[in-house]
């Protein structure tokens, strides 16, 4: 029987099945956490409404509520007490593959901003001819290239079968998190007033970028990890 | 691209570190310039001087080189800049454009550690990308007379041969002038903010006459762009070394210096600062390695990526070394502390090679798909 609440669960409102981590032996601390499969429709298991977020709106997020939720013993994933180790493997994806969308966003921003700068005319010139515009394009590209290399390194290490290097992953997450908002801001400002409008998607990217230093472990958490590991 | 070095590459980097420490332990007091020749001779016993000039079996070309420069620069940035200006800029110019006879005359001795080279490119206006070059040559039979003035020449005071970039009959060429040539005058050694052990000076050429076979004609290659690319690659590697110095010194200090009953790394103001420093350092490192690998493997993509790496590495170097000084607190205020020196050196990278401002314009132009503009 499971009781408790989980928060900020991606796909919460639409998931057919959830993996729920729960304390089965609290006195054992991390070693007393186990993982369970809970299917949609199980009595006592429900999802809250979609949380309206600032960005990444297409991805639905909600609370999951477990209220005297009884599941078969067979729904235990792995062995009792294995839950924490499994959750660390989940974190591996948070701090590796899930950084890739932010790299993709940088690539997209660069293309869109270059196209806009080549088309938009102000003061008798294409705005791409102003150094301030070139500066912004350069900053977007520099961030994108640095982030890409960090993310690809982690992906390459995974392909080599190496366990996640937590220091390298934290560095990558911190960089993508803390340094992505500057280029997103530049992309929005480059578009001028249109950058502030829904019709042009730069404002969406700006709002989406705000997730980077929060989701998958906040930047402060990454800094704690890094400062402990060095 | 492999995101790891091979054992052979690691061993080379370790050997460079060992050799450099050995050289520094025998350093004549305060005279880094006097170390350049012995250093080149010592490094010639390893593959280090050949990297970037020719394929070296078992080593990953410029990526390996970047790691080796990083280590050398972390130990003695002034010496590193002098060595690299000679080997990687002057040397690569010869490797790319010189005739077989010219290579025999200069490149062979350079590779053996027996020649110090210098590249004289910048002029009074500094940015030869923007302003027409004033240094020019005029043919006179089988000789050429050169006149002009070059500024901020690394190794100017100690070079055996100087590659003077100028124009000849409307083309950009390189005049290789031996040090004792009449008409070539060195200005006084410059006292600089950083790299204070690297020999810098200006050069005046007034009816400086050389043989026609001392002219290197890189046409149809864009000579200045190539020289700047090589400079940028060196400066990226050196910036990594400066960050290595800053981060490691600050980390060691933070773990050992105690305040309020605990090591200062336990305070988030310090621990978090170190985390940010390492993030910039590792990000710059990976980008520089990738830019170097790209230069060897997909050269068409090299210039833009090299510029990104150079801007990021040089700007990060100032931030990381500055943060290191902050963590060191009073200890870092000693002018001769290696972190203080690294911080003073960091500024150079943003100005030399392709300056940060011009680099951003060029990166922007590449994104726009336009030819470089003002």
């Amino acid at each position: 029987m499971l009781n408790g609440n989980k928060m900020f669960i991606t796909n919460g409102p639409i998931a057919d099945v959830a993996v729920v981590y729960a304390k089965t032996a609290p006195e054992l601390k991390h070693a007393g956490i186990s993982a369970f499969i809970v299917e949609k429709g199980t009595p006592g298991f429900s999802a809250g409404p979609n949380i309206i977020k600032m960005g990444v709106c297409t991805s639905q997020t909600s609370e999951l509520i477990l209220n005297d939720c009884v599941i078969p013993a067979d729904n235990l994933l792995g062995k009792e007490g294995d839950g924490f180790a499994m959750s660390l493997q989940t974190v591996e994806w948070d701090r590796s593959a899930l950084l890739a969308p932010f790299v993709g966003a940088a690539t997209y921003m660069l293309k869109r901003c270059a196209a806009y700068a080549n088309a938009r005319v102000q003061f008798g010139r294409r705005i791409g001819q102003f150094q301030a515009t070139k500066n912004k394009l350069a900053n977007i590209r520099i961030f994108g290239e640095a982030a890409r290399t960090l993310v690809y390194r982690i992906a390459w290490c995974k392909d080599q079968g190496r366990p996640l290097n937590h220091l390298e992953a934290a560095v990558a997450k911190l960089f993508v998190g803390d340094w992505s908002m500057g280029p997103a801001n530049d992309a929005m400002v480059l578009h001028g007033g249109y950058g502030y409008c829904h019709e042009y998607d730069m404002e969406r990217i700006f709002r989406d970028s705000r997730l980077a230093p929060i989701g998958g472990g906040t930047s402060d958490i990454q800094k704690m990890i890094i400062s402990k590991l060095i | 691209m492999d995101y790891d070095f091979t054992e052979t590459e690691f061993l080379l980097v370790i050997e460079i570190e060992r050799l450099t420490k050995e050289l520094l332990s025998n350093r004549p007091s305060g005279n880094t310039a006097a170390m350049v020749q012995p250093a080149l001779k010592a490094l010639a016993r390893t593959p280090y001087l050949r990297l970037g000039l020719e394929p070296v079996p078992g080593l990953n070309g410029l990526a390996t080189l970047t790691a080796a420069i990083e280590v050398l620069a972390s130990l003695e940035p002034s010496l590193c800049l002098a060595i690299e200006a000679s080997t990687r800029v002057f040397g690569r110019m010869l490797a790319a454009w010189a005739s077989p006879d010219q290579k025999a005359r200069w490149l062979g001795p350079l590779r053996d550690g027996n020649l110090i080279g210098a590249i004289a490119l910048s002029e009074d206006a500094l940015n030869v990308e923007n302003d027409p070059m004033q240094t020019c040559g005029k043919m006179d039979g089988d000789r050429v007379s050169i006149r002009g003035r070059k500024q901020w020449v690394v190794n100017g005071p100690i070079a055996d041969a100087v590659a003077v970039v100028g124009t000849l009959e409307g083309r950009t060429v390189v005049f290789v002038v031996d040090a004792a040539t009449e008409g070539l005058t060195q200005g006084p050694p410059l006292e600089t903010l950083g790299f204070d052990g690297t020999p810098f000076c200006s050069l005046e050429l007034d009816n400086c006459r050389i043989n026609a076979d001392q002219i290197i004609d890189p046409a149809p290659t864009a000579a200045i762009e190539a020289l700047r690319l090589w400079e940028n690659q060196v400066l990226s590697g050196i910036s990594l070394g400066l960050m290595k110095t800053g981060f490691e010194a600050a980390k060691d200090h933070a773990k050992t210096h105690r305040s309020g009953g605990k090591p200062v790394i336990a305070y988030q103001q310090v621990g978090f600062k170190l985390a940010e420093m390492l993030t910039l350092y590792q990000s710059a490192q990976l980008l520089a390695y990738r830019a170097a690998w790209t230069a060897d493997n997909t050269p068409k993509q090299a210039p833009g990526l090299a510029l990104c790496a150079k801007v990021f590495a040089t700007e990060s170097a100032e931030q990381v070394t500055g943060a290191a000084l902050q963590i060191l607190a009073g200890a870092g205020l000693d002018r001769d502390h290696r972190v203080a020196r690294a911080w003073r050196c960091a500024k150079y990278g943003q100005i030399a090679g392709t300056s940060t401002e011009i680099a951003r314009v060029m990166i922007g132009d590449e994104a726009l798909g336009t030819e470089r503009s003002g």
Side-chain angles (χ1 to χ4, degrees):
Chain A
M1 179 185 295
L2 300 172
N3 278 290
N5 296 63
K6 298 292 186 183
M7 193 49 168
F8 302 125
I9 306 305
T10 300
N11 292 339
I14 58 170
D16 297 306
V17 64
V19 174
V20 176
Y21 297 93
K23 282 190 269 194
T24 46
E27 69 282 3
L28 298 178
K29 295 187 182 171
H30 291 115
I33 297 173
S34 303
F36 299 94
I37 296 172
V38 183
E39 291 179 272
K40 182 179 173 181
T42 304
F45 176 57
S46 61
N50 180 40
I51 298 169
I52 308 299
K53 303 185 297 295
M54 175 185 186
V56 198
C57 299
T58 309
S59 166
Q60 297 201 43
T61 312
S62 75
E63 188 180 8
L64 292 180
I65 302 131
L66 301 122
N67 193 3
D68 288 345
C69 175
V70 175
I71 53 172
D74 283 350
N75 282 30
L76 173 70
L77 200 60
K79 296 199 307 288
E80 197 170 333
D82 278 353
F84 185 69
M86 289 180 191
S87 70
L88 287 182
Q89 289 185 14
T90 311
V91 160
E92 282 201 20
W93 289 105
D94 267 345
R95 291 175 197 168
S96 56
L98 287 189
L99 296 179
F102 298 101
V103 177
T107 307
Y108 178 74
M109 278 193 290
L110 187 63
K111 270 192 189 162
R112 286 290 298 243
C113 287
Y116 186 80
N118 271 331
R120 176 73 169 154
V121 174
Q122 283 279 269
F123 310 108
R125 306 163 74 176
R126 290 179 293 112
I127 64 168
Q129 291 178 273
F130 296 113
Q131 288 194 343
T133 303
K134 293 180 206 278
N135 223 47
K136 290 180 178 56
L137 292 168
N139 288 340
I140 294 169
R141 177 153 183 215
I142 290 168
F143 164 75
E145 296 295 352
R148 177 174 292 113
T149 315
L150 283 163
V151 172
Y152 282 14
R153 171 171 74 167
I154 294 179
W156 181 84
C157 289
K158 288 288 281 178
D159 277 347
Q160 303 303 306
R162 299 182 190 183
L164 183 75
N165 181 313
H166 290 282
L167 180 63
E168 289 174 4
V171 162
K173 176 69 174 53
L174 179 61
F175 182 77
V176 171
D178 275 8
W179 273 268
S180 62
M181 289 190 293
N185 182 65
D186 280 342
M188 202 169 79
V189 170
L190 187 147
H191 282 75
Y194 292 114
Y196 203 61
C197 301
H198 282 306
E199 182 184 348
Y200 284 71
D201 48 11
M202 288 302 121
E203 62 84 25
R204 175 179 61 79
I205 293 180
F206 180 76
R207 285 185 287 108
D208 287 349
S209 73
R210 204 57 195 84
L211 176 64
I214 300 172
T218 66
S219 292
D220 283 345
I221 295 292
Q222 306 313 321
K223 290 176 192 177
M224 275 174 52
I225 293 171
I226 293 168
S227 60
K228 282 195 163 71
L229 287 176
I230 57 174
Chain B
M1 171 177 154
D2 282 346
Y3 285 83
D4 217 346
F5 289 111
T6 63
E7 189 181 347
T8 307
E9 290 168 313
F10 272 124
L11 289 173
L12 173 64
V13 172
I14 290 168
E15 178 63 7
I16 300 302
E17 187 176 31
R18 186 196 68 76
L19 274 174
T20 308
K21 284 181 176 173
E22 193 177 276
L23 283 162
L24 292 175
S25 68
N26 296 322
R27 172 183 4 208
S29 173
N31 192 351
T32 305
M35 291 183 64
V36 176
Q37 189 73 79
L40 286 170
K41 281 194 187 313
L43 291 168
R45 300 197 297 265
T46 74
Y48 180 79
L49 293 189
R50 291 185 284 134
L51 289 169
L53 306 187
E54 61 194 59
V56 180
L59 296 175
N60 205 357
L62 294 176
T64 311
L65 174 63
T66 304
I69 292 175
E70 181 181 343
V71 155
L72 180 47
S74 72
L75 293 169
E76 180 42 83
S78 296
L79 181 63
C80 184
L81 180 61
I83 288 169
E84 287 302 309
S86 176
T87 313
R88 236 64 62 181
V89 189
F90 180 82
R92 288 180 78 180
M93 180 274 302
L94 292 170
W97 303 327
S99 69
D101 285 343
Q102 290 167 335
K103 285 180 182 176
R105 181 171 174 182
W106 293 299
L107 187 58
L110 182 98
R111 265 202 309 253
D112 295 339
N114 293 322
L115 184 141
I116 301 174
I119 289 270
L121 175 58
S122 296
E123 299 186 341
D124 282 333
L126 185 61
N127 288 321
V128 293
E129 291 92 336
N130 257 355
D131 301 298
M133 207 158 352
Q134 300 300 310
T135 303
C136 60
K138 191 172 174 186
M139 291 307 301
D140 178 13
D142 61 354
R143 305 205 85 203
V144 60
S145 170
I146 312 163
R147 62 175 175 79
R149 181 177 159 77
K150 294 294 190 184
Q151 295 273 45
W152 300 285
V153 180
V154 176
N155 292 340
I158 61 168
D160 299 300
V162 183
V164 178
V165 184
T167 57
L168 179 69
E169 294 165 358
R171 304 188 315 280
T172 301
V173 299
V174 180
F175 306 104
V176 185
V177 184
D178 293 316
T181 304
E182 195 176 329
L184 175 70
T185 310
Q186 290 174 11
L190 290 173
E191 290 194 20
T192 50
L193 168 68
F195 292 103
D196 37 13
T198 307
F200 287 89
C201 71
S202 62
L203 294 174
E204 192 84 35
L205 300 110
D206 184 8
N207 191 26
C208 178
R209 294 166 64 79
I210 60 172
N211 294 332
D213 65 4
Q214 288 171 247
I215 301 170
I216 296 180
D217 194 338
T221 309
I224 293 176
E225 284 80 355
L227 288 165
R228 287 298 191 215
L229 171 64
W230 300 332
E231 286 179 331
N232 293 339
Q233 288 166 340
V234 166
L235 292 167
S236 295
I238 290 178
S239 297
L240 299 184
L242 300 177
M243 283 189 270
K244 180 173 158 64
T245 296
F247 175 73
E248 289 179 355
K251 181 187 72 164
D252 291 344
H253 177 85
K255 285 183 163 187
T256 52
H257 182 71
R258 297 178 75 87
S259 179
K262 53 187 176 180
V264 297
I265 195 171
Y267 295 101
Q268 285 187 347
Q269 285 276 34
V270 175
F272 280 21
K273 206 186 288 290
L274 282 165
E276 288 161 5
M277 289 161 68
L278 182 65
T279 299
L280 279 175
Y281 172 27
Q282 280 200 358
S283 306
Q285 204 180 35
L286 279 175
L287 185 54
Y289 292 165
R290 180 169 149 239
W293 179 90
T294 301
D296 277 340
N297 291 277
T298 45
K300 275 196 181 154
Q301 295 175 17
L305 202 54
L307 286 171
C308 290
K310 196 253 184 187
V311 171
F312 191 75
T314 53
E315 290 185 342
S316 296
E318 187 177 355
Q319 291 177 57
V320 170
T321 51
L325 283 181
Q326 193 71 17
I327 290 172
L328 289 167
L333 289 179
D334 177 355
R335 192 180 189 280
D336 290 328
H337 192 289
R338 63 194 186 103
V339 176
R341 292 182 63 219
W343 180 71
R344 287 186 283 108
C345 290
K347 203 43 162 170
Y348 177 79
Q350 296 165 58
I351 300 168
T354 306
S355 72
T356 299
E357 288 77 13
I358 291 182
R360 282 197 161 89
V361 167
M362 293 171 79
I363 296 167
D365 279 333
E366 192 176 290
L368 291 163
T370 56
E371 291 295 315
R372 186 162 168 252
S373 57

